[in-house]
Amino acid sequence: VGCDRSKNLVDICGEKNFQAFVCDALSVPIRSGSCDACISIAVIHHFSTAERRLATIRELARLLRPGGMALIYVWAMEQEYKNQKSKYLKEKNGNKDKEEEISTGTAQRPLSDQMPNSSSQHSSCSDRLLNDSKDEGCDAKPVADSRLPVHTNRTSFHSQDLLVPWHLKGGTKRKGESVDTVSFPAGSKESQELSPVFHRYYHVFCEGELEAACRSLDCVRVQKSYYDQGNWCVVLEKL
């Protein structure tokens, strides 16, 4: 059984005779302890606070029966790991390695409820997981500007909290198409002539950060933690 926040994506699943429904990852309408396994791919990095990200993992664990397993993937701050570039960087399309600050009012949002931004990819980022007041090990600096940086596609990350632009393809959307299926990453040839531009929020995870969040829960055990093509991944077992 699949679930997604996007009705369009769920409708596509229905057209292919898959079981899927619309829901929020913070409140999944499935009975506790009823799932043998759960998979969360590229979801948790869209939640804007450490508390909400942890609540999402706790909700995932709630669904599992004792002994059930969960697999979680989130986008990594470290797109170059052990001297190897991720596929995301390898597909770089010639953009300069930079980030731009957005100046439009609609894109500005206060960061007071978030964890401080980091300009470092140091593994000590995992130490700052839950308590902002104890955040001393991640080279964090006070946020002087309430605007989030806009990421340049196919480049390294310079901030853990950022916006990734997506260009909606022009013209009338065909039946069954979702925003993602008619979008192109910023900077691509197709995107140059397309509008409007949507900005998706991401919190990219430092090494050890996802694992530390999972280990803070008493109801699960971390069975495996690893890096895979620009993502940090964890396998959990429900206790």
Side-chain angles (χ1 to χ4, degrees), residues 37-137:
C38 293
I39 299 175
S40 174
I41 306 294
V43 173
I44 295 176
H45 56 216
H46 287 299
F47 287 94
S48 62
T49 67
E51 291 76 16
R52 287 167 65 81
R53 293 189 286 272
L54 182 61
T56 308
I57 300 171
R58 184 182 292 110
E59 179 69 356
L60 197 67
R62 180 189 67 79
L63 304 175
L64 294 171
R65 63 164 176 79
M69 307 291 286
L71 172 65
I72 301 173
Y73 266 60
V74 295
W75 214 355
M77 177 84 171
E78 301 85 354
Q79 289 298 306
E80 187 167 346
Y81 186 68
K82 294 184 177 179
N83 297 321
Q84 293 289 325
K85 289 186 177 181
S86 68
K87 184 179 179 182
Y88 176 74
L89 291 185
K90 287 179 179 178
E91 293 179 355
K92 185 175 180 179
N93 56 18
N95 286 327
K96 294 181 180 180
D97 189 6
K98 65 177 182 177
E99 287 188 355
E100 300 172 351
E101 290 288 341
I102 48 192
S103 57
T104 57
T106 56
Q108 297 177 14
R109 57 188 300 273
L111 294 179
S112 58
D113 63 337
Q114 295 188 28
M115 303 178 66
N117 282 1
S118 166
S119 59
S120 170
Q121 295 187 16
H122 196 274
S123 61
S124 62
C125 287
S126 60
D127 298 334
R128 68 174 185 69
L129 177 65
L130 296 176
N131 193 334
D132 291 356
S133 65
K134 295 180 180 179
D135 184 11
E136 300 174 355

